[in-house]
Amino acid sequence: ADRGDRVVLAWMTSGENTSMSKAQSPAEVARERRIHGQEVGKIIGCEVAFFDHSDTQVQLTRDAAVQMGRFIAELKPAAIITWDSFNSHPDHRETSKIIMDAVRFARLPRLVEPHTPHRLDLPIYQYVDDRSHEPIIYVDVSEQIDKILKAVAVYSEAFDWTNVDERVRVRRASIGMQCGVRYAEQFTVRRRI
């Protein structure tokens, strides 16, 4: 986003089942989480989208992958960042699987109509899990650390998290030490062609 790329931050759910929210009903939590998402989008300088999957019910199905494939065909991204396929949260794990199938489906004209297919060799950056055997790449986020802290603050204030700034800085600095920069993120890269 800082270099002028179009960035879209998309959520599969509205997180209505989180126990961290102070809101009462699932509908109130969903509204609150969507507001958080919009705030984070403004901080990052990106567009925001929400899919209509229910929290804790995301599943790899053909319909979910086709829906995501259409979204990919519409946006025509140069890269995707998503969860790793080992994540302990079922919604995150299933999202990773949906993305992998959706990238394939985005190439098929009949599935993505009215959009044109998206046929790039699309890198899929996944958050690193120790169980992954994929190579790790590092992204220098030193210039973005203030935005990262502001984005995390949206949630730390809403959910009363403590020491978040310090934990975020220490984690990003630790990753940065592995690649010779002040702050970094790390990803594994998978390709689906």
Side-chain angles (χ1 to χ4, degrees):
D2 284 350
R3 68 177 180 228
D5 293 348
R6 180 183 184 196
V7 176
V8 179
L9 180 58
W11 280 269
M12 295 296 278
T13 79
S14 295
E16 65 272 13
N17 287 326
T18 185
S19 59
M20 296 182 289
S21 176
K22 297 171 194 164
Q24 299 300 312
S25 71
E28 290 171 332
V29 174
R31 274 193 301 278
E32 179 182 78
R33 298 296 299 269
R34 285 175 178 256
I35 290 168
H36 296 156
Q38 294 295 337
E39 289 176 29
V40 169
K42 287 177 188 171
I43 291 165
I44 294 171
C46 69
E47 300 169 45
V48 172
F50 283 89
F51 285 85
D52 58 357
H53 296 273
S54 296
D55 191 18
T56 70
Q57 296 182 39
V58 175
Q59 293 183 353
L60 171 60
T61 64
R62 182 182 182 279
D63 288 344
V66 169
Q67 179 190 35
M68 182 61 71
R70 287 186 183 127
F71 187 65
I72 291 168
E74 177 184 358
L75 295 178
K76 308 244 183 308
I80 294 174
I81 300 172
T82 190
W83 299 102
D84 64 83
S85 48
F86 298 101
N87 194 282
S88 62
H89 193 301
D91 284 353
H92 299 175
R93 236 183 3 260
E94 292 296 299
T95 296
S96 171
K97 294 175 188 176
I98 290 168
I99 293 289
M100 294 305 291
D101 284 359
V103 169
R104 172 63 68 187
F105 289 167
R107 301 170 58 90
L108 304 175
R110 289 189 180 123
L111 291 184
V112 300
E113 290 177 340
H115 310 292
T116 58
H118 186 49
R119 297 175 180 252
L120 288 182
D121 175 9
L122 193 58
I124 302 165
Y125 295 87
Q126 294 184 317
Y127 298 111
V128 172
D129 183 280
D130 293 337
R131 293 166 285 191
S132 175
H133 299 292
E134 303 290 333
I136 295 175
I137 64 134
Y138 297 90
V139 176
D140 183 352
V141 296
S142 301
E143 292 184 20
Q144 289 77 30
I145 194 67
D146 290 337
K147 284 185 181 182
I148 293 168
L149 293 171
K150 285 178 187 174
V152 172
V154 170
Y155 298 103
S156 66
E157 291 169 13
F159 303 139
D160 292 327
W161 294 342
T162 58
N163 300 323
V164 174
D165 276 13
E166 181 180 348
R167 286 185 285 162
V168 168
R169 282 185 192 276
V170 167
R171 175 76 178 130
R172 299 313 173 283
S174 174
I175 297 169
M177 289 173 57
Q178 296 173 43
C179 63
V181 299
R182 186 159 184 197
Y183 297 108
E185 292 278 5
Q186 61 183 354
F187 302 95
T188 56
V189 183
R190 298 179 69 188
R191 292 189 178 272
R192 188 63 164 232
I193 53 174

